[in-house]
PDB file of all heavy atoms in Angstrom:
ATOM      1  N   GLY A1215      -4.450  -9.990  -5.351  1.00 87.00           N
ATOM      2  CA  GLY A1215      -3.616 -10.060  -6.464  1.00 87.00           C
ATOM      3  C   GLY A1215      -2.269 -10.629  -6.141  1.00 87.00           C
ATOM      4  O   GLY A1215      -1.639 -11.396  -6.874  1.00 87.00           O
ATOM      5  N   ASP A1216      -1.764 -10.221  -4.932  1.00 86.00           N
ATOM      6  CA  ASP A1216      -0.365 -10.642  -4.520  1.00 86.00           C
ATOM      7  C   ASP A1216      -0.361 -12.133  -4.287  1.00 86.00           C
ATOM      8  O   ASP A1216       0.497 -12.906  -4.814  1.00 86.00           O
ATOM      9  CB  ASP A1216       0.042  -9.872  -3.261  1.00 86.00           C
ATOM     10  CG  ASP A1216       1.407 -10.085  -2.906  1.00 86.00           C
ATOM     11  OD1 ASP A1216       2.211 -10.431  -3.761  1.00 86.00           O
ATOM     12  OD2 ASP A1216       1.806  -9.765  -1.725  1.00 86.00           O
ATOM     13  N   LEU A1217      -1.270 -12.657  -3.483  1.00 80.00           N
ATOM     14  CA  LEU A1217      -1.289 -14.030  -3.091  1.00 80.00           C
ATOM     15  C   LEU A1217      -1.559 -14.959  -4.270  1.00 80.00           C
ATOM     16  O   LEU A1217      -0.874 -15.981  -4.519  1.00 80.00           O
ATOM     17  CB  LEU A1217      -2.333 -14.308  -2.038  1.00 80.00           C
ATOM     18  CG  LEU A1217      -1.948 -13.725  -0.590  1.00 80.00           C
ATOM     19  CD1 LEU A1217      -3.159 -13.704   0.333  1.00 80.00           C
ATOM     20  CD2 LEU A1217      -0.792 -14.533  -0.035  1.00 80.00           C
ATOM     21  N   THR A1219      -1.304 -14.437  -7.486  1.00 88.00           N
ATOM     22  CA  THR A1219      -0.374 -14.443  -8.654  1.00 88.00           C
ATOM     23  C   THR A1219       0.956 -15.038  -8.195  1.00 88.00           C
ATOM     24  O   THR A1219       1.567 -15.827  -8.956  1.00 88.00           O
ATOM     25  CB  THR A1219      -0.095 -12.995  -9.049  1.00 88.00           C
ATOM     26  OG1 THR A1219      -1.320 -12.343  -9.358  1.00 88.00           O
ATOM     27  CG2 THR A1219       0.848 -12.955 -10.270  1.00 88.00           C
ATOM     28  N   TYR A1220       1.420 -14.762  -7.009  1.00 87.00           N
ATOM     29  CA  TYR A1220       2.698 -15.286  -6.539  1.00 87.00           C
ATOM     30  C   TYR A1220       2.615 -16.804  -6.545  1.00 87.00           C
ATOM     31  O   TYR A1220       3.635 -17.448  -7.092  1.00 87.00           O
ATOM     32  CB  TYR A1220       2.897 -14.824  -5.098  1.00 87.00           C
ATOM     33  CG  TYR A1220       4.238 -15.294  -4.449  1.00 87.00           C
ATOM     34  CD1 TYR A1220       5.430 -14.553  -4.766  1.00 87.00           C
ATOM     35  CD2 TYR A1220       4.360 -16.454  -3.841  1.00 87.00           C
ATOM     36  CE1 TYR A1220       6.656 -14.946  -4.266  1.00 87.00           C
ATOM     37  CE2 TYR A1220       5.583 -16.902  -3.227  1.00 87.00           C
ATOM     38  CZ  TYR A1220       6.780 -16.132  -3.553  1.00 87.00           C
ATOM     39  OH  TYR A1220       7.917 -16.645  -3.060  1.00 87.00           O
ATOM     40  N   LEU A1242      11.151 -13.696  -9.453  1.00 92.00           N
ATOM     41  CA  LEU A1242      10.285 -13.575 -10.617  1.00 92.00           C
ATOM     42  C   LEU A1242       8.807 -13.614 -10.266  1.00 92.00           C
ATOM     43  O   LEU A1242       7.996 -12.842 -10.699  1.00 92.00           O
ATOM     44  CB  LEU A1242      10.608 -14.667 -11.651  1.00 92.00           C
ATOM     45  CG  LEU A1242      11.915 -14.523 -12.327  1.00 92.00           C
ATOM     46  CD1 LEU A1242      12.173 -15.765 -13.209  1.00 92.00           C
ATOM     47  CD2 LEU A1242      11.989 -13.218 -13.232  1.00 92.00           C
ATOM     48  N   SER A1243       8.519 -14.461  -9.289  1.00 91.00           N
ATOM     49  CA  SER A1243       7.136 -14.574  -8.723  1.00 91.00           C
ATOM     50  C   SER A1243       6.738 -13.245  -8.052  1.00 91.00           C
ATOM     51  O   SER A1243       5.564 -12.760  -8.199  1.00 91.00           O
ATOM     52  CB  SER A1243       7.025 -15.730  -7.841  1.00 91.00           C
ATOM     53  OG  SER A1243       7.316 -16.971  -8.444  1.00 91.00           O
ATOM     54  N   SER A1244       7.638 -12.675  -7.259  1.00 90.00           N
ATOM     55  CA  SER A1244       7.311 -11.405  -6.583  1.00 90.00           C
ATOM     56  C   SER A1244       7.106 -10.276  -7.566  1.00 90.00           C
ATOM     57  O   SER A1244       6.234  -9.429  -7.346  1.00 90.00           O
ATOM     58  CB  SER A1244       8.501 -11.078  -5.622  1.00 90.00           C
ATOM     59  OG  SER A1244       8.569 -12.039  -4.583  1.00 90.00           O
ATOM     60  N   LEU A1245       7.940 -10.280  -8.644  1.00 91.00           N
ATOM     61  CA  LEU A1245       7.846  -9.279  -9.697  1.00 91.00           C
ATOM     62  C   LEU A1245       6.482  -9.238 -10.316  1.00 91.00           C
ATOM     63  O   LEU A1245       5.790  -8.253 -10.548  1.00 91.00           O
ATOM     64  CB  LEU A1245       8.978  -9.528 -10.746  1.00 91.00           C
ATOM     65  CG  LEU A1245       9.122  -8.355 -11.809  1.00 91.00           C
ATOM     66  CD1 LEU A1245       9.718  -7.165 -11.163  1.00 91.00           C
ATOM     67  CD2 LEU A1245      10.053  -8.792 -12.935  1.00 91.00           C
ATOM     68  N   CYS A1246       6.017 -10.521 -10.691  1.00 93.00           N
ATOM     69  CA  CYS A1246       4.722 -10.622 -11.298  1.00 93.00           C
ATOM     70  C   CYS A1246       3.631 -10.332 -10.312  1.00 93.00           C
ATOM     71  O   CYS A1246       2.629  -9.710 -10.745  1.00 93.00           O
ATOM     72  CB  CYS A1246       4.490 -12.032 -11.836  1.00 93.00           C
ATOM     73  SG  CYS A1246       5.685 -12.421 -13.228  1.00 93.00           S
ATOM     74  N   SER A1247       3.718 -10.815  -9.105  1.00 92.00           N
ATOM     75  CA  SER A1247       2.610 -10.499  -8.117  1.00 92.00           C
ATOM     76  C   SER A1247       2.506  -9.084  -7.748  1.00 92.00           C
ATOM     77  O   SER A1247       1.379  -8.562  -7.604  1.00 92.00           O
ATOM     78  CB  SER A1247       2.863 -11.367  -6.883  1.00 92.00           C
ATOM     79  OG  SER A1247       4.049 -10.970  -6.123  1.00 92.00           O
ATOM     80  N   GLY A1248       3.682  -8.407  -7.729  1.00 92.00           N
ATOM     81  CA  GLY A1248       3.605  -6.921  -7.426  1.00 92.00           C
ATOM     82  C   GLY A1248       2.976  -6.156  -8.594  1.00 92.00           C
ATOM     83  O   GLY A1248       2.245  -5.227  -8.336  1.00 92.00           O
ATOM     84  N   LEU A1249       3.170  -6.671  -9.860  1.00 95.00           N
ATOM     85  CA  LEU A1249       2.585  -6.019 -11.010  1.00 95.00           C
ATOM     86  C   LEU A1249       1.050  -6.134 -10.969  1.00 95.00           C
ATOM     87  O   LEU A1249       0.321  -5.174 -11.133  1.00 95.00           O
ATOM     88  CB  LEU A1249       3.083  -6.651 -12.351  1.00 95.00           C
ATOM     89  CG  LEU A1249       2.432  -6.216 -13.639  1.00 95.00           C
ATOM     90  CD1 LEU A1249       2.681  -4.716 -13.754  1.00 95.00           C
ATOM     91  CD2 LEU A1249       3.018  -7.019 -14.855  1.00 95.00           C
ATOM     92  N   VAL A1250       0.586  -7.373 -10.674  1.00 94.00           N
ATOM     93  CA  VAL A1250      -0.886  -7.646 -10.638  1.00 94.00           C
ATOM     94  C   VAL A1250      -1.532  -6.840  -9.501  1.00 94.00           C
ATOM     95  O   VAL A1250      -2.560  -6.240  -9.626  1.00 94.00           O
ATOM     96  CB  VAL A1250      -1.212  -9.118 -10.525  1.00 94.00           C
ATOM     97  CG1 VAL A1250      -2.675  -9.363 -10.275  1.00 94.00           C
ATOM     98  CG2 VAL A1250      -0.679  -9.757 -11.745  1.00 94.00           C
ATOM     99  N   ALA A1251      -0.849  -6.901  -8.368  1.00 93.00           N
ATOM    100  CA  ALA A1251      -1.371  -6.138  -7.152  1.00 93.00           C
ATOM    101  C   ALA A1251      -1.482  -4.646  -7.397  1.00 93.00           C
ATOM    102  O   ALA A1251      -2.424  -3.946  -7.036  1.00 93.00           O
ATOM    103  CB  ALA A1251      -0.484  -6.455  -6.005  1.00 93.00           C
ATOM    104  N   SER A1252      -0.484  -4.107  -8.153  1.00 95.00           N
ATOM    105  CA  SER A1252      -0.471  -2.676  -8.449  1.00 95.00           C
ATOM    106  C   SER A1252      -1.561  -2.277  -9.444  1.00 95.00           C
ATOM    107  O   SER A1252      -2.245  -1.246  -9.337  1.00 95.00           O
ATOM    108  CB  SER A1252       0.895  -2.229  -9.016  1.00 95.00           C
ATOM    109  OG  SER A1252       1.911  -2.352  -8.050  1.00 95.00           O
TER     110      SER A1252
END
Side-chain angles (χ1 to χ4, degrees):
D1216 192 17
L1217 287 167
T1219 307
Y1220 182 86
L1242 291 172
S1243 301
S1244 297
L1245 190 69
C1246 294
S1247 65
L1249 174 62
V1250 174
S1252 296

